[in-house]
Amino acid sequence: NAGVMQNPRHLVRRRGQEARLRCSPMKGHSHVYWYRQLPEEGLKFMVYLQKENIIDESGMPKERFSAEFPKEGPSILRIQQVVRGDSAAYFCASSPTGLGNQPQHFGDGTRLSIL
Amino acid sequence: DQQVKQNSPSLSVQEGRISILNCDYTNSMFDYFLWYKKYPAEGPTFLISISSIKDKNEDGRFTVFLNKSAKHLSLHIVPSQPGDSAVYFCAASVEGDNDMRFGAGTRLTVKP
């Protein structure tokens, strides 16, 4: 499967626990984007990463959220001390370049539910 | 700040007819526009795009129109098919910018 792979597809956590969401970009893509979709809303940009670098994290909440894209392995979106309001679908997208004039290719998302 | 707006949350059309989905934007710096289609439990799939130097782009049954003066774009699907039933997101970006802005989506239902 050459598409963007996200896992897990569903993740259930209790309040206060940590959530780790993984994203493997399409083959040949070195630019990764994370989005969050709340119920009945569109996708909200969170963070843009290249290998080993965070390029733009302007959409990321200042606390509890972090992202990385190591030299080897998938990109990770980490949410510490989760709260009910973190329940959402989290989508990862990738592109071959970081130019704004190319489509991003999306994974099927991770649905995070906080009990 | 809702820079991209899809004011119709839902649209229902008969199979074989035209579907017209609309999108408005406020940021005049946007120069690249896209439509994505999303089925339940799947990620958005890229459908068609248009750059600001054009006012129309066509791909099979799908045509996107851009009216820069009105800051409006639309997606036309002709003829509509039941398999087109999905949520359609409009998105916009500025070349060189990392932040692609999405609308809230329009749920299209095509009735057989």
Side-chain angles (χ1 to χ4, degrees):
Chain A
N1 188 336
V4 177
M5 300 300 293
Q6 288 188 249
N7 69 84
R9 291 295 308 277
H10 302 273
L11 182 61
V12 179
R13 284 287 177 267
R14 295 188 181 279
R15 282 179 294 171
Q17 290 184 320
E18 178 181 287
R20 292 170 72 88
L21 289 64
R22 295 175 187 77
C23 169
S24 295
M26 281 182 74
K27 189 174 182 181
H29 289 193
S30 58
H31 299 256
V32 165
Y33 310 79
W34 285 94
Y35 293 83
R36 176 165 64 176
Q37 184 184 21
L38 296 170
E40 306 303 323
E41 294 188 13
L43 289 86
K44 296 286 195 310
F45 167 79
M46 299 180 74
V47 61
Y48 160 47
L49 310 101
Q50 290 183 45
K51 281 287 186 182
E52 300 185 272
N53 290 305
I54 296 174
I55 308 300
D56 182 352
E57 54 183 349
S58 58
M60 195 98 101
K62 295 288 184 281
E63 297 178 352
R64 302 187 297 107
F65 285 72
S66 62
E68 63 178 12
F69 190 14
K71 187 176 180 181
E72 302 290 338
S75 174
I76 306 286
L77 179 67
R78 183 181 177 206
I79 311 172
Q80 295 178 292
Q81 299 174 327
V82 295
V83 300
R84 288 245 170 90
D86 296 333
S87 295
Y90 291 83
F91 291 96
C92 168
S94 72
S95 68
T97 73
L99 299 175
N101 61 353
Q102 291 185 335
Q104 298 172 9
H105 300 269
F106 283 82
D108 285 338
T110 294
R111 275 139 192 89
L112 176 63
S113 298
I114 309 302
L115 302 179
Chain B
D1 62 339
Q2 192 101 17
Q3 295 190 31
V4 178
K5 295 181 182 179
Q6 293 176 256
N7 292 318
S8 298
S10 63
L11 174 68
S12 181
V13 300
Q14 207 64 37
E15 181 179 6
R17 299 290 187 104
I18 183 171
S19 295
I20 300 177
L21 296 100
N22 294 302
C23 179
D24 297 292
Y25 61 96
T26 57
N27 187 346
S28 58
M29 297 296 292
F30 286 143
D31 55 10
Y32 184 61
F33 305 88
L34 311 90
W35 284 94
Y36 283 85
K37 176 180 176 179
K38 184 181 180 305
Y39 292 118
E42 293 184 11
T45 302
F46 169 70
L47 199 56
I48 193 169
S49 64
I50 188 169
S51 75
S52 58
I53 61 173
K54 292 186 173 182
D55 53 19
K56 176 182 175 182
N57 188 26
E58 193 172 350
D59 183 1
R61 296 185 298 113
F62 302 91
T63 303
V64 55
F65 295 92
L66 175 62
N67 183 334
K68 289 185 289 293
S69 60
K71 295 192 181 71
H72 178 84
L73 69 156
S74 60
L75 175 68
H76 292 210
I77 307 174
V78 182
S80 303
Q81 300 173 354
D84 296 330
S85 297
V87 177
Y88 289 78
F89 290 99
C90 161
S93 67
V94 178
E95 186 176 353
D97 192 1
N98 312 309
D99 187 354
M100 186 170 290
R101 302 279 182 160
F102 283 81
T106 296
R107 183 178 302 277
L108 172 66
T109 302
V110 180
K111 297 179 179 178

